[in-house]
């Protein structure tokens, strides 16, 4: 009786799997149902298919190799059957999605992936930074987790001041309550970018001309113009003989550069512990005046707290809401749209 080594039998199986794969793939590429059926009969046909005739070789393999040969045969059989099924599915899919020519028309233009957008607030920040850069203000950053000294004390906000109220600030759990130590132990999410003024002046001799844009946090009730996390743009200029007229000039130039020549701005007398005199900066929008931020001449106490001599230098500072500028520019009437992460809204910018 004919015999066959295990290796020869395995080689026959591998050759069979290879040629069946080639035939199925060819039929798939051409979306050729008839070709696939012919290949099925050739390889998987119940009576005279190649798999069937290869199976006959199993009887010629040595008895002790039979279990291994049988196992290998079953693996290859399963592989060929599942390849055939994949080819059937692929041809069905191609035909139902528009037929032979369309599914494989390499001349069709590709589908463009959807592009992401830079968030409108980030766009605003970049633009504001550019405008201030052209006016000679260099951009600096400060930490969002601040200590008592930079957020309050050095800004002339003493221990008993209501601005420190725990209801108006996000103190971190490491911090004590209002009225606790003021040596920098109390940490909070900064409530204003004015903290950066202090950090810069502590490390730099006058003249100073900086702008800082970043996130600030307040437990405000959320409505159309308030959010618990928002952004501010802070400007600071310290030099000899700086006056309120310089402040007005720079702010007006800033506003017209960002919002257009027709923008109207006005200053209202106000109070901030770290500026004297202080003003509220309003801009007109759709016939109503809206508050965009605060400004003023840096208080001599603040200059002293960072080691400057208020007899020799003076300066102005301002802090405006970035969201409000962005909303005014784009006609957005509710701040919440900016943070709802709705792509239909965001993709307009
Ligand atoms: C300040 O934060 C001062 N640090 C501004 C300043 C800087 C004054 C330098 C003087 C010198 P105020 O709390 O008013 O000021 O906030 C400034 C602006 O931030 C507001 O006019 C508003 O535009 C914006 N703002 C305040 N709270 C919110 C909020 N919850 N959501 C969105 N924007 C807000």
């Amino acid at each position: 009786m004919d015999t066959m080594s295990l290796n020869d039998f395995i080689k026959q199986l591998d050759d069979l799997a290879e040629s069946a794969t080639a035939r199925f793939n060819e039929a798939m590429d051409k979306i050729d149902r008839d070709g696939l059926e012919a290949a099925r009969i050739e390889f998987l046909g119940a009576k005279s298919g190649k798999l069937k005739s290869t199976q006959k070789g199993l009887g010629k393999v040595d008895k002790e190799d039979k279990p291994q040969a049988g196992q290998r045969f079953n693996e290859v059989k399963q592989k060929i059957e599942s390849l055939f099924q994949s080819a059937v599915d692929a041809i069905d899919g191609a035909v139902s999605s528009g037929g032979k020519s369309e599914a494989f028309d390499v001349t069709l233009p590709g589908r463009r992936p959807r592009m992401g957008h830079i968030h409108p607030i980030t766009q605003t920040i970049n633009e504001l930074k550019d405008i201030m850069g052209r006016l000679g203000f260099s951009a600096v950053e400060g930490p969002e987790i601040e200590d008592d000294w930079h957020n309050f004390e050095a800004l002339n906000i003493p221990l008993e001041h209501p601005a420190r109220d725990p209801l108006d600030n996000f103190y971190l759990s490491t911090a004590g309550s209002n009225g606790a130590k003021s040596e920098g132990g109390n940490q909070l999410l900064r409530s204003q970018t004015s903290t950066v003024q202090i950090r810069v002046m502590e490390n730099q001799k006058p003249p100073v001309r900086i702008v800082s844009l970043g996130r600030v946090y307040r437990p405000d009730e959320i409505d159309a113009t308030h959010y618990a996390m928002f952004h501010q743009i802070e400007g600071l200029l310290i030099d000899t003989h700086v006056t309120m007229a310089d402040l007005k000039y720079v702010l007006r130039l800033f506003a017209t550069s960002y919002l257009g020549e027709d923008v109207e701005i006005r200053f209202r007398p106000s109070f901030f512990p770290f500026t004297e005199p202080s003003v509220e900066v309003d801009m007109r929008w759709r016939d109503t005046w809206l508050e965009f931020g605060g400004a003023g001449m840096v208080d001599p106490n603040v200059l002293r707290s960072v080691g400057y001599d208020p007899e020799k230098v003076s300066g102005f500072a301002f802090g405006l809401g970035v969201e409000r500028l962005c909303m005014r520019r784009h006609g957005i009437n509710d701040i919440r749209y900016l943070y709802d992460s709705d792509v239909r809204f965001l993709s307009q910018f």
Side-chain angles (χ1 to χ4, degrees):
M1 187 183 113
D2 271 359
T3 56
M4 191 190 291
S5 72
L6 178 64
N7 279 347
D8 284 350
F9 182 69
I10 287 175
K11 175 145 189 354
Q12 262 190 20
L13 283 174
D14 288 346
D15 289 348
L16 187 67
E18 198 177 312
S19 46
T21 306
R23 289 288 306 280
F24 293 156
N25 282 344
E26 189 189 342
M28 239 185 332
D29 286 349
K30 293 181 180 163
I31 317 179
D32 180 1
R33 255 195 230 284
D34 295 341
L36 183 64
E37 177 58 12
R40 183 192 69 78
I41 293 168
E42 181 181 338
F43 291 97
L44 295 168
K47 282 192 188 134
S48 52
K50 285 185 174 162
L51 199 63
K52 193 86 195 163
S53 42
T54 308
Q55 190 178 13
K56 289 185 186 140
L58 199 55
K60 301 178 192 165
V61 175
D62 278 352
K63 201 174 167 198
E64 63 270 23
D65 290 332
K66 270 208 173 73
Q68 203 183 335
Q71 188 187 350
R72 189 59 177 259
F73 175 81
N74 284 334
E75 283 167 10
V76 170
K77 181 169 181 257
Q78 271 171 19
K79 182 179 168 188
I80 293 177
E81 282 171 351
S82 85
L83 272 172
F84 170 72
Q85 194 49 51
S86 308
V88 171
D89 293 345
I91 289 177
D92 285 352
V95 170
S96 68
S97 71
K100 187 171 173 171
S101 53
E102 217 176 289
F104 285 87
D105 184 352
V106 291
T107 64
L108 279 178
R111 282 193 200 131
R112 275 183 191 282
R114 278 174 61 176
M115 296 295 284
H117 283 259
I118 294 181
H119 192 278
I121 287 297
T122 311
Q123 290 181 32
T124 307
I125 286 173
N126 292 340
E127 203 171 326
L128 298 181
K129 236 188 247 176
D130 279 356
I131 291 170
M132 292 306 291
R134 288 199 292 276
L135 295 175
F137 288 73
S138 37
V140 295
E141 287 188 9
E144 288 176 27
I145 294 179
E146 265 299 4
D147 54 42
D148 188 271
W149 169 257
H150 293 94
N151 204 85
F152 300 123
E153 193 85 25
L155 285 166
N156 204 25
I157 303 174
L159 267 183
E160 64 285 357
H161 197 282
R164 292 175 178 245
D165 195 316
L167 293 174
D168 294 329
N169 295 282
F170 285 114
Y171 284 98
L172 301 189
S173 55
T174 51
S177 59
N178 185 25
K181 297 185 300 293
S182 60
E183 298 94 47
N186 286 350
Q187 288 193 308
L188 74 163
L189 297 179
R190 68 179 176 188
S191 59
Q192 50 184 343
T193 43
S194 299
T195 53
V196 186
Q197 292 181 31
I198 303 300
R199 290 191 172 271
V200 169
M201 290 191 285
E202 279 174 337
N203 291 304
Q204 192 181 325
K205 295 248 166 297
V208 173
R209 197 187 272 224
I210 57 101
V211 66
S212 188
L213 290 109
R215 286 189 202 105
V216 299
Y217 304 84
R218 292 180 195 178
D220 288 349
E221 198 162 321
I222 293 174
D223 60 22
T225 50
H226 293 85
Y227 216 71
M229 182 283 303
F230 58 102
H231 296 73
Q232 287 187 334
I233 170 170
E234 187 88 10
L236 173 72
L237 188 148
I238 307 279
D239 210 330
T240 48
H241 313 300
V242 181
T243 68
M244 208 60 186
D246 300 316
L247 168 66
K248 278 193 170 179
Y249 177 77
V250 168
L251 272 179
R252 199 174 294 279
L253 213 55
F254 168 79
T256 51
S257 304
Y258 183 64
L259 295 170
E261 284 302 324
D262 58 339
V263 68
E264 277 183 79
I265 77 171
R266 82 176 177 195
F267 296 144
R268 265 182 301 125
S270 184
F271 173 79
F272 293 100
F274 35 92
T275 44
E276 179 60 37
S278 303
V279 291
E280 213 75 66
V281 184
D282 297 342
M283 297 185 199
R284 197 205 275 279
W285 186 25
R286 294 179 181 159
D287 291 333
T288 44
W289 286 99
L290 287 183
E291 175 205 308
F292 278 75
M297 301 304 293
V298 180
D299 193 288
N301 283 343
V302 174
L303 295 175
R304 268 190 284 273
S305 77
V306 294
Y308 286 7
D309 181 353
E311 300 299 324
K312 294 196 177 130
V313 291
S314 56
F316 67 69
F318 63 86
L320 312 178
V322 172
E323 279 76 4
R324 301 221 178 142
L325 288 161
C326 170
M327 288 163 73
R328 161 74 169 76
R329 163 86 169 263
H330 296 292
I332 301 167
N333 56 16
D334 195 317
I335 193 171
R336 288 167 287 202
Y337 285 130
L338 290 167
Y339 296 114
D340 277 351
S341 301
D342 185 336
V343 177
R344 289 168 304 175
F345 171 79
L346 295 175
S347 60
Q348 298 174 68
F349 300 92

